[in-house]
Each structure stands twice: as structure tokens, then as C-alpha cells.
Amino acid sequence: MNNMQRRILWTTAALFWVAFSPALGQYPGYQQKADYSMDIVLDTALHQYDGTMRVTYTNQSPEVLDRVFWHLFFNAFQPGSMMDVRSRNISDPDRRVGSRIAELPEDEWGWQRVESVKVQGKNVAFEEDGTILVVDLPKRLRPGKSVTFDLTWKAQVPRQIRRSGWMNAEGVEYSMTQWYPKLCEFDHHGWHSNPYIGREFHGIWSHYDVRLHVPQGYVVAATGVQESATNKAMPNGTPGTVVRFKADNVIDFAWATDPDFVAETFDVDGVTLRLVHQANPELDSNWTALGDYAARAMAFINEDIGPYMYPEYNVVQGGDGGMEYPMLTLVTGERSLRSLVGVTVHEMAHSWFQAMVATNESLHEWMDEGFTSWAESRCMAELFADPMKPSENPHKWSYSGYINQHLSGNEEPLITHADHYKTNRAYGIGAYAKGEVFVEQLGAVVGTATRDEGMRRYFKEWSFKHPGPRDFKRVMERESGLELDWYFQEMMHTTNAIDYAVESVVNDGESVTVELSRRADMPMPQDLSLAWDDGTLTLVHIPLVMMRGHRPLNEGEILGADWPWVDPKYTYTCPSEGRKLTSVTLDAAGLQADIHRDNNAVTFDLSRVQEAGQSN
Ligand SMILES: [Zn+2]
């Protein structure tokens, strides 16, 4: 078997396992199914395209459906759209958007105009409601039944403002993301027909067969595997090419095209990794170097989280920063090598959490962006390991970002819908930084090795199933044997923070008494370290009562009595046997997002300690 065959077999086996594995936790046991076949003809003079599609939609839910919703994302790029109004009213607009939509000339607006919708071959009425198309079904769609839609539509590709569009800031002509009528997801929580305001999304794992008709000389990169490229004249008689792509089990289909694109491919554990960018003598060396980093990154995440399950991954220059799509990301290319690697690793890591696990990002943005950021930080620490700073915390920027946001008073709870945060900053810090802290800090509760194993188990058990927070919690509970309701409740539903302190230390020569306190609302198990003047350490792990257990102890570590969360104080006593303390520290590993780390440790200047004893 060649690599491709092996991968197809592997993916098929994985999907079979997913489809027939027993229901776990909250898993409802079904996924909707959509099979898209599309023909697209691009007009590069008007920046418009004509589209026809046939979609077979199978209702695998136990519910009867009488209407179906579709996304029409391009309609967001018109003055007065919800995305435009939101951007002009939020206190900290995304600089890429600002008032740019309001200022677009009409020939640079984005729009999708649906011309006809047929259901089972018969024309039906439909309604375009901003970025959502509503189609009432003439006959109710029962569980287990399929329906065929035929759509024809015209679209104008917006001037590139956010994610998709014509002519990005680096001169890439077409960044074609969120660009076609896409079925909204109906899952065990119901329909998710969110009006698009430029943020997170959700989708059905679908099959795509897409034929893209572009002028000759345009190089196309897309989700899926290229099946063929056939010469065919454009409607105006000029030479053209039809490039056909197929993709399986992807929640979206994205593409980009530019006449100046060049491509390089690499093989990573049987996956084709392709880099596509504009030929540019000043940047080519960065892209060449990126290939090696990206290949190492994919191999690292394969080991760290679980195997990438698609046959290809494309890193394509385009868009306005970095945005993840299945099997493809668009990133801007005019960056330093380190920045190019960083954005690529982040978007690639999304393949695991956005493409394969695919939580509903609008509802649980932190489970996509946060987990992705966590994986990215681990991968970047591996790629850019600094022998001079072996113990530097790769997650430190997320900790400081989250803590600063908390202290500013503008933090919003993670349970907030991605579209509805009051500020872009609160969304960004919540989704990315606090989401990353959420995972890393679990190491302080269940142990870091258990947490890592839990992440692998989560990926394995929940790929292709749209899990939610409770599903993730149950994986971590089963992996650790601990109860974690309290952790998820505090971290998701509240803006409570952690502040534990060493209040006092008394060493009378025979024994040491350390008084600890919880000064803020969020309870956490604690790790206390006592450093002695003979160079030894006493390490004490203090679980919470409500965990119903404790993480695995490290070698030589002492298990302290449980700390009931209601008690603001905790006293620990141990023999000092004539030794003096040099320091007493809480959370020496720095796993907890403690908002006042300055009260976590007491150090003693032994030259100034009286013979009689020590106190603080
Ligand atoms: Zn991201």
C-alpha cells in the first residue's frame, strides 16, 4: 500500500470506529450528513462568480425537520450588514474591519444572490435574511431520510477585509473562504443559524466534489485532494482550466487562487503537506524554511494529540492574518520566519480541534481557540527550544494575558457566546488565553501527565462528534478518577480567580507551622514546597475535599489533609529537626493562574535569622 492508500484505510477505520462506537457521556449518537457537488465559474474581471450546486442532505437526527438554513457569509460585506453595524459599535473594533465595510464602493461589496432553489427537482420559495438563507421544505424531512437541493446563485467576492475576499493586502487575488451557500449545522442542541459577524463557526462533516473554473494560469489551492485539471475556455472565450477537488469528512471547503502562486510539497507520516505562496525573491527563503518547521510541527502534534486524519494539509498565502479551514489555512506571508512559523503552527493545530473534533466554536470558543493555543505553545516550545531557558513556561503569555484582563475588571465568563462578548479583547483573552490556561492549569488538578493523556483520549474519543464542555470534563474525570464539576463551573461560568497566599511561617526549632490562605473565590488544590538550609525539600500536595481524591503524587511528595473549600485558612505542620527554612512556596511549578503571585512565597535571609527560630 502506498501512503495514500494507507491513509484512506486508516481514516475509513477511524470513521467506522467513530460511527459505531457506543455513546459516551452526552454524545447523542448522530451527525447530519451533506454531500456537495459544485461547479464554480470565476470572473476575474468583475470579481464575481456563478455557482451551481447539488447537495444531498441526510437527516440522521431523531427529529423531523421542516426547514433548512444556509450560511451566505459574503452578504456580511455590505454597508449596514450586522457585521458592519457590530464593527462600528463595538468599543474596540478589529482594526482590519473598523468602518471599512461601510465605506466599500458597491462594486467591492460582497454578496451572494441565490437565483433558484429546487428541492427534489421542484422549485421552492426561499428567503435571504442577511447572511442566512432560509428554505422551507415542501415535505417534512423525517429521521433517516435524505433530500436533494439544487441551487444556482451569483456572488460578488468582496474586497478583502476579513478572512475572505478579492485582493488581500499582500496582493493575493482570491481568498475564497466562507464563500458558498453552506448548510448550517443541526445537532443535538438544535439549529445554529448564527448571523455572521466575522467570528467563529460550526459545520456538518460533509463530502465535497468541487469543480473550479478559473482563467488559465491561475494556480488553485483548496481543501481536499486535487482530482484533475482540464483545459476549458472561459465563458468569454479566453483560455481557462477546470480544477476539480474532492474532500471527505470536512466541515467546510476553502480555496485560494492567484496567478503568481508557487507550491512545494513535503511528506509527513504519509500526509502531503503543501506550501503555496506568491513567488517573491524577498520571502521565498522564509517559505523554504517554513517547510521543515511545518513538517516537524505536524509530526509533533501527531504524537502529542493524535494522528492527523486527512490526506493533505495546505498552508496558503492569503487572507488577513491566519485563519483555519479543514485541510487548508490562509496566512499572510510578509512576516519574519518566526512569525510565519507561529501562525502556521497555530492554524495547523486547529486541524485537531476545529476540523476533526469540531466543538461548536460559537458556543465554546475556548475549546477551539484555547486548546489550539495550548497545542501551539507546546509545539513552538519544541520547535524553538532554547537551551538557555530550559524551564521557561511556554504558556506564560496566556497566563499573563488572562490575569491582566481579570485584574482590569473587564473579563467576561467563557460561557459567553463568541459573538456576544462586550469587547473584542474580552473575547480574545477568554477564547485564546483563558482557554489555554484552562487546559494547562488542569495539570495542577489532575497532574500534568494525566492531563496530557486526557487530551489524547479526548481527541481519540471525540473526533468527528462535536463534543461540548461536559464531554471534555468526563474524559478528564475518567482519566484522573477525580470529580471536576467545580473546576469547569468556576472556569467557565464565573470570572472568579485564584489567589492563594502563604500567610505566616513559624519554626520553633522542633516543628514548622505554615499558615496558608485562600484570598480569592476560586478554590484549587495546592502544592506547598518547603526548602531547607540543608538543601532538602519537603513537598506537600493538598487536595480539595470535593475532588474525591488527588492527582498522582511525585516521588517523595507528601499528601496533606484535604482542604475544604469553605475554609479560608489551612495550617500545615511538620518537624523541622533543627533545620532552618530558606523558603516556603505555593505552586512553585507556576501551573495556577494566581492573580497575586507575590504572596505565594516567603523567603528567609538566614544570615538575619535568630538562633531561637524563624517566623514571618
Ligand atoms: Zn485560532
Side-chain angles (χ1 to χ4, degrees):
M1 273 193 305
N2 64 26
N3 282 336
M4 175 71 81
Q5 288 167 324
R6 203 164 62 223
R7 179 149 300 272
I8 289 167
L9 186 71
W10 185 25
T11 306
T12 308
L15 290 169
F16 185 85
W17 185 87
V18 161
F20 295 100
S21 63
L24 297 162
Q26 303 296 317
Y27 179 53
Y30 72 84
Q31 296 296 332
Q32 299 298 71
K33 191 163 171 284
D35 195 331
Y36 291 82
S37 177
M38 278 192 252
D39 283 281
I40 304 301
V41 183
L42 182 64
D43 179 338
T44 52
L46 292 175
H47 318 304
Q48 296 179 356
Y49 75 84
D50 287 326
T52 60
M53 66 156 77
R54 167 164 285 193
V55 183
T56 305
Y57 179 62
T58 306
N59 178 17
Q60 310 213 91
S61 84
E63 299 194 43
V64 176
L65 304 179
D66 53 11
R67 59 186 357 195
V68 168
F69 300 90
W70 309 66
H71 296 284
L72 301 173
F73 294 111
F74 274 3
N75 288 348
F77 300 97
Q78 303 169 10
S81 72
M82 284 180 68
M83 182 169 169
D84 172 38
V85 173
R86 171 71 165 167
S87 181
R88 285 185 288 113
N89 285 282
I90 199 164
S91 62
D92 61 340
D94 185 323
R95 277 179 293 121
R96 292 168 291 200
V97 184
S99 59
R100 287 178 65 205
I101 296 174
E103 293 156 9
L104 280 176
E106 196 167 349
D107 61 356
E108 294 186 0
W109 292 5
W111 44 253
Q112 280 161 296
R113 292 181 188 151
V114 176
E115 296 181 320
S116 67
V117 179
K118 286 181 179 165
V119 176
Q120 301 294 91
K122 293 205 174 78
N123 278 307
V124 296
F126 57 89
E127 183 202 348
E128 277 197 33
D129 183 9
T131 57
I132 296 293
L133 170 72
V134 186
V135 177
D136 287 319
L137 297 173
K139 189 167 163 258
R140 301 202 305 163
L141 184 61
R142 300 192 173 282
K145 299 292 181 195
S146 297
V147 64
T148 302
F149 297 96
D150 288 288
L151 271 72
T152 59
W153 79 101
K154 282 187 183 301
Q156 179 161 288
V157 183
R159 178 80 188 200
Q160 204 280 336
I161 286 180
R162 189 75 182 97
R163 294 177 177 159
S164 57
W166 161 72
M167 195 55 73
N168 84 346
E170 299 179 347
V172 172
E173 284 195 28
Y174 292 94
S175 301
M176 299 293 284
T177 61
Q178 297 166 258
W179 61 279
Y180 60 94
K182 178 185 157 181
L183 277 161
C184 296
E185 179 63 302
F186 176 84
D187 61 19
H188 49 297
H189 296 294
W191 280 106
H192 302 282
S193 62
N194 295 322
Y196 182 57
I197 62 163
R199 212 161 254 162
E200 306 288 348
F201 59 99
H202 195 38
I204 306 170
W205 283 287
S206 307
H207 173 80
Y208 289 86
D209 180 354
V210 182
R211 291 162 298 275
L212 303 166
H213 195 177
V214 297
Q216 203 168 66
Y218 276 71
V219 179
V220 182
T223 297
V225 175
Q226 184 176 323
E227 292 280 312
S228 59
T230 316
N231 289 336
K232 184 183 176 190
M234 302 303 293
N236 65 5
T238 56
T241 311
V242 176
V243 194
R244 182 176 187 180
F245 291 87
K246 286 186 180 174
D248 255 324
N249 298 303
V250 288
I251 58 168
D252 203 358
F253 183 98
W255 57 293
T257 189
D258 190 280
D260 301 323
F261 273 163
V262 291
E264 288 174 273
T265 59
F266 302 80
D267 178 273
V268 188
D269 303 339
V271 173
T272 301
L273 171 65
R274 184 181 293 104
L275 307 186
V276 183
H277 59 96
Q278 288 181 322
N280 175 341
E282 285 171 29
L283 297 171
D284 284 356
S285 64
N286 273 0
W287 284 90
T288 302
L290 175 65
D292 177 54
Y293 281 111
R296 284 165 58 202
M298 180 170 271
F300 176 83
I301 306 172
N302 279 340
E303 285 288 316
D304 201 33
I305 306 293
Y308 180 84
M309 286 193 252
Y310 298 114
E312 291 196 7
Y313 188 69
N314 294 273
V315 182
V316 183
Q317 186 180 7
D320 54 16
M323 182 59 196
E324 69 279 8
Y325 296 94
M327 300 177 70
L328 176 143
T329 179
L330 293 187
V331 301
T332 46
E334 293 173 6
R335 306 159 170 267
S336 67
L337 176 61
R338 171 85 187 223
S339 168
L340 188 62
V341 174
V343 70
T344 299
V345 169
H346 178 89
E347 307 311 336
M348 179 189 281
H350 269 298
S351 297
W352 280 259
F353 299 108
Q354 187 236 17
M356 292 187 274
V357 169
T359 45
N360 181 337
E361 299 170 40
S362 298
L363 297 180
H364 315 300
E365 55 281 359
W366 59 279
M367 295 181 72
D368 175 38
E369 295 298 352
F371 292 14
T372 294
S373 298
W374 181 78
E376 171 204 352
S377 295
R378 287 161 72 91
C379 184
M380 288 297 281
E382 171 76 12
L383 295 183
F384 293 93
D386 182 350
M388 303 305 288
K389 298 181 193 164
S391 61
E392 189 170 45
N393 176 1
H395 310 281
K396 66 178 181 182
W397 296 113
S398 287
Y399 277 76
S400 59
Y402 156 59
I403 289 170
N404 290 338
Q405 179 73 0
H406 174 80
L407 294 173
S408 78
N410 297 320
E411 189 195 354
E412 296 176 50
L414 290 185
I415 202 70
T416 308
H417 187 290
D419 292 347
H420 294 268
Y421 281 85
K422 292 186 184 72
T423 62
N424 278 315
R425 181 170 175 78
Y427 154 77
I429 294 287
Y432 292 73
K434 192 175 181 185
E436 179 170 355
V437 168
F438 195 114
V439 179
E440 183 60 15
Q441 187 174 259
L442 262 175
V445 181
V446 301
T448 52
T450 307
R451 186 265 329 274
D452 293 354
E453 211 43 60
M455 291 302 279
R456 282 185 276 276
R457 185 170 177 174
Y458 171 63
F459 176 73
K460 187 174 172 208
E461 292 185 357
W462 288 100
S463 290
F464 302 102
K465 288 180 183 170
H466 293 319
R470 278 178 294 177
D471 306 311
F472 177 59
K473 181 186 76 97
R474 281 301 293 144
V475 168
M476 285 296 173
E477 288 189 336
R478 295 207 314 278
E479 194 62 37
S480 65
L482 301 175
E483 286 192 26
L484 301 172
D485 269 353
W486 60 275
Y487 183 79
F488 280 70
Q489 201 70 23
E490 290 282 332
M491 288 293 285
M492 284 169 56
H493 293 260
T494 80
T495 55
N496 291 349
I498 299 166
D499 181 15
Y500 279 82
V502 179
E503 291 292 338
S504 67
V505 180
V506 176
N507 183 359
D508 65 9
E510 284 186 10
S511 65
V512 160
T513 302
V514 180
E515 191 180 52
L516 308 175
S517 70
R518 175 176 57 77
R519 294 190 183 181
D521 292 316
M522 178 162 169
M524 278 291 280
Q526 289 303 310
D527 291 305
L528 175 66
S529 31
L530 284 70
W532 303 96
D533 61 352
D534 62 358
T536 57
L537 279 174
T538 299
L539 302 174
V540 188
H541 179 59
I542 305 168
L544 295 166
V545 175
M546 59 191 163
M547 292 162 61
R548 298 285 156 223
H550 60 85
R551 66 160 170 76
L553 297 178
N554 299 314
E555 205 181 317
E557 200 171 22
I558 295 165
L559 184 62
D562 285 356
W563 185 336
W565 71 267
V566 292
D567 206 335
K569 294 268 163 58
Y570 184 96
T571 305
Y572 179 76
T573 305
C574 69
S576 50
E577 293 160 347
R579 297 170 297 173
K580 293 195 174 67
L581 283 166
T582 57
S583 67
V584 174
T585 309
L586 278 174
D587 183 35
L591 284 167
Q592 305 195 13
D594 191 307
I595 54 172
H596 295 298
R597 196 148 274 283
D598 52 343
N599 61 26
N600 278 38
V602 172
T603 55
F604 298 94
D605 181 350
L606 291 185
S607 64
R608 296 174 61 186
V609 173
Q610 305 259 317
E611 271 307 300
Q614 288 180 283
S615 65
N616 173 276

